[in-house]
Amino acid sequence: MSKILLAGATGYLGGYILSELLRQQHEVRVIVRNRTKLEQKNYEKVEVIEAEITKLESINNCCDNIDFVISTVGITKQKDGLTYMDVDYQANKNLLKEAKKSGVKKFVYISLLNGQKLKNLKICEAKELFVNELKKSGIDYCIIRPNGFFSDMSEIFYMAQKGRVYLFGDGKYKANPIHGEDLAVVCVNSIENARKEINVGGPETLSQNEIAGIAFNIAEKEIKITYIPNWIRKIILFIIRTFTSQKFYGSIEFFLTVLSMDMIAPEKGKHTLEEFYGNLKNNHM
């Protein structure tokens, strides 16, 4: 089987990709900042490089004897003083430089659905700058564009448990978020897929009202939804952009924006949001 370098193996999606790579019996090398964060069951099955991808010298020759690179590297929560440009752009650029140097066959990168249209958002700006670098690098590539994870929908369930869900607008915007396990299958299979870009979502396209309805049903609560006018959302965006740093507002800016638009991608996978909310409930009982 092929030898794969996986960057970001200890993150939410990276963990699922690692499991899928091992399930498909690939030989795997991982780059992690802290090897103790690797699940024990996978630790002995992979070659581990402990390094800071933001520092080029620390990953020197990391791609030697590697056929394919998969990178999920990106900031979900700002920490350590690093910015989106430091991680989502520069760290991936460092990895790409090593991949080219070592003659890697293909580089698979996970970005965001509609990232090209949302470059005004700090997180998308950094990701799409790297996408541009990847496209002009001369290396074969595939860009995976998921439209959001089930884990992003957790907050709606927790609101439902407390008795009321707050939605922007009228709750009619639609999305089909995807479970990390389903997305991992798409990412790993893209190694042998000739497509350069893959938009992907989960198996059910739902409105925000329908998502809230599922959350209330699983939480066994009466449906109570408060709709927040769009002008309030715009004021919140203006305030956080004006009076806080991008390290604080980057993720909030992203979610406030995508909650006010349809985020629909081709339907893939088997896991449902109802199943996910059921697991959340069971884990918090």
Side-chain angles (χ1 to χ4, degrees):
M1 297 298 290
S2 302
K3 185 158 187 177
I4 318 292
L5 175 74
L6 173 62
T10 57
Y12 169 76
L13 176 59
Y16 283 113
I17 292 177
L18 177 54
S19 295
E20 181 63 19
L21 285 168
L22 294 174
R23 190 189 70 79
Q24 293 192 23
Q25 298 184 317
H26 289 288
E27 194 176 346
V28 184
R29 178 184 297 165
V30 298
I31 301 179
V32 294
R33 294 178 67 191
N34 184 348
R35 66 176 62 224
T36 62
K37 289 186 178 180
L38 272 178
E39 287 187 44
Q40 190 61 40
K41 66 177 183 180
N42 293 328
Y43 187 82
E44 296 174 356
K45 300 176 184 176
V46 302
E47 180 186 347
V48 181
I49 296 176
E50 203 168 38
E52 296 277 355
I53 303 182
T54 51
K55 299 173 183 176
L56 181 60
E57 65 277 9
S58 80
I59 59 168
N60 188 39
N61 299 326
C62 67
C63 292
D64 284 1
N65 303 311
I66 290 294
D67 298 305
F68 303 99
V69 170
I70 300 177
S71 176
T72 70
V73 171
I75 293 179
T76 49
K77 294 179 181 177
Q78 297 280 358
K79 56 186 176 181
D80 301 333
L82 296 170
T83 66
Y84 292 111
M85 291 302 290
D86 293 330
V87 180
D88 294 70
Y89 173 67
Q90 189 61 52
N92 281 297
K93 188 178 177 183
N94 291 345
L95 189 57
L96 177 60
K97 185 173 182 178
E98 286 296 316
K100 287 181 66 178
K101 183 178 81 174
S102 297
V104 166
K105 295 176 185 175
K106 189 173 188 178
F107 194 112
V108 177
Y109 175 63
I110 292 80
S111 184
L112 295 164
L113 184 71
N114 294 324
Q116 316 94 308
K117 302 173 187 175
L118 298 171
K119 288 191 222 177
N120 60 309
L121 308 180
K122 292 300 179 184
I123 185 171
C124 296
E125 176 189 24
K127 286 183 181 295
E128 292 307 308
L129 273 173
F130 175 69
V131 165
N132 292 340
E133 294 280 351
L134 183 55
K135 286 181 175 180
K136 68 184 184 185
S137 68
I139 199 170
D140 190 16
Y141 66 87
C142 184
I143 299 153
I144 311 289
R145 295 190 178 278
N147 61 351
F149 303 141
F150 279 1
S151 52
D152 299 330
M153 301 291 112
S154 300
E155 194 55 42
I156 291 179
F157 178 73
Y158 296 135
M159 285 192 285
Q161 276 192 318
K162 294 174 183 176
R164 184 173 296 275
V165 167
Y166 297 87
L167 299 174
F168 289 104
D170 57 11
K172 292 181 180 178
Y173 287 114
K174 294 184 176 182
N176 58 321
I178 187 168
H179 192 285
E181 187 174 74
D182 289 332
L183 180 55
V185 174
V186 175
C187 294
V188 174
N189 290 346
S190 72
I191 291 168
E192 304 294 345
N193 193 322
R195 291 170 61 189
K196 297 292 190 184
E197 298 202 29
I198 300 174
N199 294 343
V200 59
E204 300 174 305
T205 299
L206 302 163
S207 70
Q208 292 172 17
N209 284 324
E210 289 171 323
I211 291 171
I214 293 170
F216 279 115
N217 182 51
I218 296 297
E220 300 180 77
K221 300 282 187 178
E222 180 185 350
I223 294 178
K224 293 180 181 178
I225 301 175
T226 295
Y227 297 101
I228 302 170
N230 198 45
W231 62 266
I232 293 180
R233 181 188 66 85
K234 290 179 178 178
I235 287 174
I236 294 171
L237 273 172
F238 173 77
I239 290 172
I240 63 171
R241 284 169 173 162
T242 304
F243 297 106
T244 68
S245 73
Q246 63 167 279
K247 292 178 183 179
F248 171 79
Y249 74 69
S251 59
I252 301 172
E253 171 191 58
F254 175 74
F255 285 113
L256 285 178
T257 301
V258 298
L259 286 173
S260 63
M261 61 189 288
D262 287 327
M263 289 288 282
I264 302 171
E267 296 181 351
K268 294 282 185 182
K270 61 185 180 183
H271 291 289
T272 66
L273 196 60
E274 184 175 20
E275 167 197 333
F276 176 73
Y277 281 163
N279 288 333
L280 281 184
K281 180 182 178 181
N282 292 335
N283 291 338
H284 288 82
M285 287 180 70

